[in-house]
Amino acid sequence: MSSPVVTVTVFHYRPLARFHAFANMGRFLMKPARKDGLLFSKLMGSGKNFGLIPDFSTYVFLAVWENDTFADAFSQTHTYQLLQAGVAQSGTLYLRPQRTHGLWNGQNPFLPIPQAFTPGHLPESPVAVLTRATIHSFALLDFWRHVPQARQRLHDHQDNLLFGIGVGEVPLVQQCTISIWRNSAAVEQYAYRQSGHKEIVQLTRQRQWYREELFARFSVLKAEGALFADIQQVMSTN
């Protein structure tokens, strides 16, 4: 029996298509995608450089599928064609969870973890990290005040950071980051050594910023599209 697959598709839209892309957010909020084999999905808008200013050119569709077959078939559906309309560039990552904890809208969509993809699988392959949180209203100012500091720490590790984006379902309040790292060692270096990331995580606990939060780490199985050419190159050399 095949294991669930997570896809992250990034759409960069041409200027004249950005109103259509923004309208898709409302459509998906009113009527979430329902496809064969689709277990969970979110369409999320992005912010410029992980910040408060919206980036109306870029959106991310994240989905959890029963298996690879359903994931591959999505590109042939009407829903995908709706999202693809007006796109200048796009790309899709195929991921399988290594570890995860926390909740997203009251559930963890990345459980259970397939035994074959527990931590340590393919240590030289790219690794994806996703963090998602709903921020308490009283903590919004304090949270966003620390975002430039966290962004700089990501920049300091750009040699090992193959891709990164800040997205969300609801502006200001529901935030998600998706980052792709060269390998598991790069993730460990960022998370636990020298970057100060650990201190930021401790701050979230001390100041109780989040009403709900989720963390997940994934193996990158495949990357499609020119948008992810750097990831494809790293995977081809492993």
Side-chain angles (χ1 to χ4, degrees), residues 103-117:
L103 298 174
W104 189 332
N105 293 150
Q107 63 173 307
N108 190 323
F110 308 122
L111 291 175
I113 303 294
Q115 186 175 1
F117 285 84

Side-chain angles (χ1 to χ4, degrees), residues 2 11 27 62 70 160 172-173 189 220 227:
S2 54
F11 299 96
R27 295 187 187 100
L62 179 145
F70 288 118
N160 285 316
L172 299 179
V173 177
Q189 181 74 17
V220 180
L227 187 62

Side-chain angles (χ1 to χ4, degrees), residues 53 107 170:
I53 300 174
Q107 63 173 307
V170 178

Side-chain angles (χ1 to χ4, degrees), residues 22-60:
F22 180 74
N24 283 337
M25 290 287 294
R27 295 187 187 100
F28 275 72
L29 284 172
M30 295 287 292
K31 188 178 180 181
R34 301 187 188 281
K35 299 296 173 186
D36 290 344
L38 181 61
L39 304 176
F40 178 87
S41 68
K42 292 290 180 181
L43 180 64
M44 297 177 283
S46 69
K48 293 184 178 180
N49 200 19
F50 292 89
L52 283 167
I53 300 174
D55 182 355
F56 293 110
S57 72
T58 304
Y59 294 81
V60 169

Side-chain angles (χ1 to χ4, degrees), residues 15 20-21 25 48 57 85 96 98 118 122-124 139 144 171 175 183-184 192 199 207 214-215 221-222:
H20 166 81
M25 290 287 294
K48 293 184 178 180
S57 72
R96 194 152 280 149
Q98 291 183 0
T118 52
L122 299 178
E124 296 307 315
W144 285 104
Q175 296 299 305
N183 50 42
S184 57
Y192 302 114
E199 287 73 17
R207 303 195 181 185
L214 179 143
F215 167 87
L221 305 178
K222 182 170 60 172

